[in-house]
Amino acid sequence: MTRWTASDIPSQRGRTAVITGTGGLGFEDALALARAGADIIIAGRNPSKGDAAVQQIRRSIPGASVTFEMLDLANLQSIEAFGIRLQDSRDRLDILINNAAVMAPPERLTTSDGLELQLGTNYLGHFALTAHLLPLLRRGDQPRVVTLSSVAARSGAINFDDLQSERTYKPMAAYGQSKLACLMFALELQRRSDAGGWGVRSIAAHPGISRTDLLPNGTGTWSAPGIARRYLWFLFQPASQGALPTLFAATAPDAQGSAYYGPNRLSETRGYPSVAKIPPPAENTNDATRLWIASENLTGATFPLG
């Protein structure tokens, strides 16, 4: 795995990938996988940004197979509709990258279904999406689900007594909770895939600290994090570098189910893909089961028992 780069991606011809998010890491994932020959579906809530991403990839890679599909992860009806459309138009899915996120809005916001925005988008939206796409994934060729966590998961905690941050909202605490939930989901999904014989490999990844619009879009351009992102850009690695752990998880033959990959340098903030340290709370299987049940109740999305 030493200095693994996008040039190490095996041929992805004949494989179909869904990637959530139209910019930043999601765009870099789509670009690299399209270059490797995959059929790419970019899923996002902004059609103009989605179309721009598709056109940019097609300009960079003549003949690339890439399309945009409308998906609002903050709307459970939109997620279900996306799943239905794909099941009507595709016979299988080989890669799902649960990438899109919102980060640390200064005030508590909610999704259209009344869920706290960060938990609802970053985690619960992807939980529901994976459930709706599971039938396609089970028909895939060695299918993989890669779910994005974050270095913020290290300080995250699942507050079952106030899961939606209704009593107390702290932006970074809510973000950390959502990303810890993503990591717990990735691990639990592999356990359930193994138990149910689904044949799906579930892997977690994180990008370290990368130059994307996640910080300024979430906290605001003139917030302290937004200013740091704008003027201390050299502290953040390029998005193309930050995408490498995800791409490794999605394509490398030796990427393992239930593994967690991130950058290999400076406390996993930058570098090349390597095995990342899983925070102890993410390995609490009782909490993972409790979170899974709560997630099914909150989203109405269910996974098969076998």
Side-chain angles (χ1 to χ4, degrees):
M1 201 191 303
T2 303
R3 295 181 71 86
W4 189 95
T5 71
S7 64
D8 295 306
I9 296 174
S11 172
Q12 298 297 299
R13 295 202 178 278
R15 294 176 68 75
T16 298
V18 167
I19 303 163
T20 64
T22 56
L25 298 169
F27 174 81
E28 296 295 340
D29 293 338
L31 181 65
L33 290 175
R35 186 169 284 121
D39 175 17
I40 304 297
I41 301 167
I42 296 174
R45 62 186 175 86
N46 188 317
S48 62
K49 288 184 178 179
D51 290 340
V54 167
Q55 295 307 317
Q56 187 173 346
I57 291 172
R58 287 177 177 169
R59 285 193 299 270
S60 299
I61 310 165
S65 177
V66 55
T67 57
F68 170 76
E69 281 283 346
M70 178 67 190
L71 170 66
D72 185 354
L73 287 164
N75 184 306
L76 293 171
Q77 186 175 358
S78 174
I79 296 168
E80 182 178 11
F82 176 85
I84 291 170
R85 290 200 308 276
L86 253 64
Q87 292 196 55
D88 287 343
S89 61
R90 307 276 174 159
D91 58 1
R92 74 171 203 266
L93 177 62
D94 306 297
I95 300 171
L96 169 61
I97 298 179
N98 291 324
N99 163 78
V102 293
M103 182 177 182
E107 297 180 354
R108 183 182 183 274
L109 302 174
T110 59
T111 69
S112 59
D113 303 287
L115 305 169
E116 188 276 317
L117 185 64
Q118 295 184 84
L119 189 74
T121 303
N122 303 352
Y123 167 60
L124 291 169
H126 284 121
F127 178 94
L129 177 65
T130 305
H132 288 302
L133 295 182
L134 187 62
L136 288 174
L137 286 161
R138 293 183 69 175
R139 295 196 292 271
D141 176 19
Q142 300 181 53
R144 301 187 189 192
V145 176
V146 181
T147 302
L148 271 287
S149 186
S150 165
V151 293
R154 298 172 186 169
S155 58
I158 307 298
N159 186 352
F160 288 105
D161 294 329
D162 190 21
L163 199 59
Q164 302 293 332
S165 304
E166 293 170 297
R167 291 201 293 270
T168 302
Y169 175 73
K170 295 180 180 179
M172 282 305 299
Y175 180 72
Q177 175 182 246
S178 76
K179 285 301 184 175
L180 176 60
C182 286
L183 179 52
M184 294 171 70
F185 168 66
L187 302 179
E188 181 67 13
L189 181 63
Q190 184 65 62
R191 287 190 285 266
R192 293 183 181 239
S193 178
D194 291 341
W198 301 345
V200 174
R201 196 183 315 183
S202 176
I203 308 171
H206 77 81
I209 299 179
S210 302
R211 288 200 294 272
T212 71
D213 290 332
L214 187 61
L215 265 174
N217 284 350
T219 61
T221 301
W222 299 110
S223 66
I227 291 170
R229 166 64 181 85
R230 179 185 293 263
Y231 294 108
L232 301 178
W233 57 268
F234 51 86
L235 298 178
F236 299 74
Q237 64 178 353
S240 58
Q241 187 79 16
L244 291 181
T246 299
L247 292 166
F248 179 88
T251 68
D254 51 346
Q256 302 296 310
S258 285
Y260 185 30
Y261 297 101
N264 64 348
R265 295 179 54 237
L266 296 177
S267 298
E268 300 181 14
T269 60
R270 60 199 306 116
Y272 293 90
S274 184
V275 174
K277 185 176 180 180
I278 298 176
E283 298 185 294
N284 186 319
T285 56
N286 290 332
D287 281 355
T289 299
R290 186 179 179 186
L291 180 63
W292 190 283
I293 294 170
S295 302
E296 289 189 327
N297 291 334
L298 288 167
T299 64
T302 58
F303 289 74
L305 296 177

